[in-house]
């Protein structure tokens, strides 16, 4: 069942990417699927409506919950990150005003502490929210990306 739910999320992301003008081969690379599967997603032949309904519910969840669910559906962190970025349009944000530099968030390889400043390596961040859940002051959070 988890792989079916993941297919539903991939289908939603594939449709979003197609609306942005991407070609099937580009979509296939982002969602790590064969082009034939992407074709099925875009034509509505796959997955079943019930699976799409579950995927849409995940899309409507607050990102802090949805990302954990998506990460639980796949061991491929790059795939999870790609799906999350397209589904939620989020990035990790650090609020320097509330941070106490305790280092609890440093379990994540994407974060470093340098002279009371948390640095976020956006390429290394897989948007798993593990640092967010460990931060005692809620100084780390997801914010919507800015697209100008």
């Amino acid at each position: 069942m988890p792989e079916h739910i993941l297919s539903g999320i991939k289908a939603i992301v594939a449709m979003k990417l197609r609306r942005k003008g991407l070609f099937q081969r580009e979509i296939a690379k982002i969602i790590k699927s064969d082009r034939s599967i992407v074709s099925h997603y875009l034509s509505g032949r796959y997955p079943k409506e019930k699976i799409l309904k579950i995927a849409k519910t995940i899309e409507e969840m607050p990102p802090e919950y949805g990302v954990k669910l998506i990460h639980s559906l796949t061991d491929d962190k790059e795939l999870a990150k790609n799906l999350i970025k397209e589904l939620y349009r989020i990035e990790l944000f650090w609020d320097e005003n509330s941070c106490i530099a305790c280092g609890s968030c440093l379990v994540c390889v994407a974060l470093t502490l340098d002279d009371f400043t948390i640095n976020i390596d956006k390429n290394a961040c897989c948007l798993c929210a593990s640092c967010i859940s460990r931060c005692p002051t809620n100084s780390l959070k997801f914010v919507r990306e800015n697209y100008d």
Side-chain angles (χ1 to χ4, degrees), residues 110-126:
L111 301 176
T112 56
L113 179 62
D114 182 34
D115 197 28
F116 297 102
T117 300
I118 298 292
N119 299 301
I120 303 169
D121 180 348
K122 300 211 187 262
N123 291 324
C125 178
C126 65

Side-chain angles (χ1 to χ4, degrees), residues 23-35:
F23 295 109
Q24 285 187 16
R25 72 176 173 280
E26 296 167 313
I27 296 168
K29 185 176 179 182
I30 292 169
I31 67 171
K32 295 190 171 190
S33 292
D34 294 333
R35 284 176 62 188

Side-chain angles (χ1 to χ4, degrees), residues 63-64 67 81 84-86 88-94 120 122 125-128 131-132 140-147:
E64 291 78 14
V67 299
K81 180 179 180 175
I84 290 163
K85 282 190 78 68
E86 290 303 324
Y88 295 112
R89 313 299 268 164
I90 56 171
E91 62 185 2
L92 188 61
F93 172 78
W94 172 65
I120 303 169
K122 300 211 187 262
C125 178
C126 65
L127 301 172
C128 67
C131 58
I132 292 173
L140 291 164
K141 56 188 88 108
F142 288 131
V143 294
R144 299 277 177 202
E145 292 180 336
N146 292 326
Y147 291 99

Side-chain angles (χ1 to χ4, degrees), residues 53-123:
K53 186 175 179 182
I54 293 168
K56 287 176 185 172
T57 301
I58 293 169
E59 180 182 23
E60 294 167 358
M61 288 179 165
E64 291 78 14
Y65 302 116
V67 299
K68 291 179 182 182
L69 218 147
I70 292 170
H71 274 282
S72 73
L73 296 172
T74 179
D75 293 328
D76 186 334
K77 289 183 179 189
E78 181 185 2
L79 171 61
K81 180 179 180 175
N82 292 347
L83 296 173
I84 290 163
K85 282 190 78 68
E86 290 303 324
L87 205 61
Y88 295 112
R89 313 299 268 164
I90 56 171
E91 62 185 2
L92 188 61
F93 172 78
W94 172 65
D95 181 0
E96 63 185 285
N97 296 319
S98 61
C99 182
I100 58 174
C102 66
S104 295
C105 61
L106 297 178
V107 295
C108 180
V109 297
L111 301 176
T112 56
L113 179 62
D114 182 34
D115 197 28
F116 297 102
T117 300
I118 298 292
N119 299 301
I120 303 169
D121 180 348
K122 300 211 187 262
N123 291 324

